[in-house]
Amino acid sequence: MQIDAIIGLAGHKKEDLSVCMGCRICASVCTVNDLGKDPHNADIMVNPQELLVRLFLGEEISADNPLVRYCTSCYRCTDACPWKIRIPEIVRGLRESLEIASPFEKAFKGSVRIWGRVYEPYVFLMSVPFLFKEGYIKHMMKWTGYMSIHLPHKVKGGS
Ligand code: SF4
Ligand code: SF4
């Protein structure tokens, strides 16, 4: 079944999602959902837990799903989840299946290639064309709150 293959790309099995307690901690810490809490940004409210439930029930997830479109792969949800469910990797599996390229992932990889770590201002700059195209740029002020502005320490090859 296609959905099993998508979840499998994250190293999970469909049954693994049955441990989800519905606590919605993932939604409460989600970077994208945070933006949606502002009444002006209600169009981008997302709920990672809802996505898992829909996958568990075998529902088709479309390319229009806001989490598929906007997830930044920040892993805040996984860090906070009591079961460490790797939601961003499941989203990545969905994107592969739906043949959607993520500018955020491209930027993350570029950052790691250059500095050996994620450097948020670089990721942001590389994502600007996408942010403009999606109308996401109106959330820029909030986004800057997630960034720590400092010179990057290169850890690649470091001791
Ligand atoms: S990885 Fe995606 S789903 Fe998880 S907190 Fe970040 S933006 Fe939200
Ligand atoms: S934090 Fe984990 S257990 Fe809680 S709702 Fe989200 S995925 Fe399920």
Side-chain angles (χ1 to χ4, degrees), residues 19-26 49 52 77 80-83 85 87:
V19 299
C20 173
M21 303 181 296
C23 61
R24 297 195 176 190
I25 292 174
C26 50
Q49 187 248 345
L52 295 189
C77 51
C81 173
W83 295 104
I85 296 174
I87 295 164

Side-chain angles (χ1 to χ4, degrees), residues 5 8 32 36 52 69 84-85 93 95 103 110 133 147-148 154:
V32 178
L52 295 189
R69 289 175 64 201
K84 300 296 174 211
I85 296 174
R95 284 177 179 152
K133 186 166 160 255
M147 290 192 283
S148 50
K154 193 169 184 172

Side-chain angles (χ1 to χ4, degrees), residues 25-140:
I25 292 174
C26 50
S28 71
V29 298
C30 174
T31 301
V32 178
N33 196 41
D34 245 11
L35 297 174
K37 285 174 189 160
D38 181 333
H40 301 295
N41 304 338
D43 54 321
I44 58 164
M45 282 194 79
V46 299
N47 183 347
Q49 187 248 345
E50 186 208 1
L51 181 79
L52 295 189
V53 169
R54 291 184 58 191
L55 283 170
F56 186 70
L57 294 175
E59 287 183 24
E60 288 292 317
I61 309 292
S62 77
D64 291 337
N65 182 285
L67 208 53
V68 172
R69 289 175 64 201
Y70 293 132
C71 172
T72 60
S73 301
C74 63
Y75 281 83
R76 288 175 86 185
C77 51
T78 304
D79 279 348
C81 173
W83 295 104
K84 300 296 174 211
I85 296 174
R86 295 184 295 281
I87 295 164
E89 291 168 34
I90 292 170
V91 170
R92 196 173 303 141
L94 276 164
R95 284 177 179 152
E96 275 193 43
S97 154
L98 295 164
E99 298 182 353
I100 299 170
S102 165
F104 293 118
E105 281 169 29
K106 201 172 157 196
F108 276 124
K109 284 177 191 163
S111 177
V112 171
R113 199 167 44 243
I114 297 169
W115 290 290
R117 58 169 288 248
V118 171
Y119 182 48
E120 295 89 343
Y122 173 87
V123 171
F124 180 77
L125 280 176
M126 294 301 287
S127 308
V128 161
F130 168 76
L131 296 175
F132 269 115
K133 186 166 160 255
E134 293 288 327
Y136 209 178
I137 203 73
K138 68 182 175 185
H139 311 302
M140 191 174 121

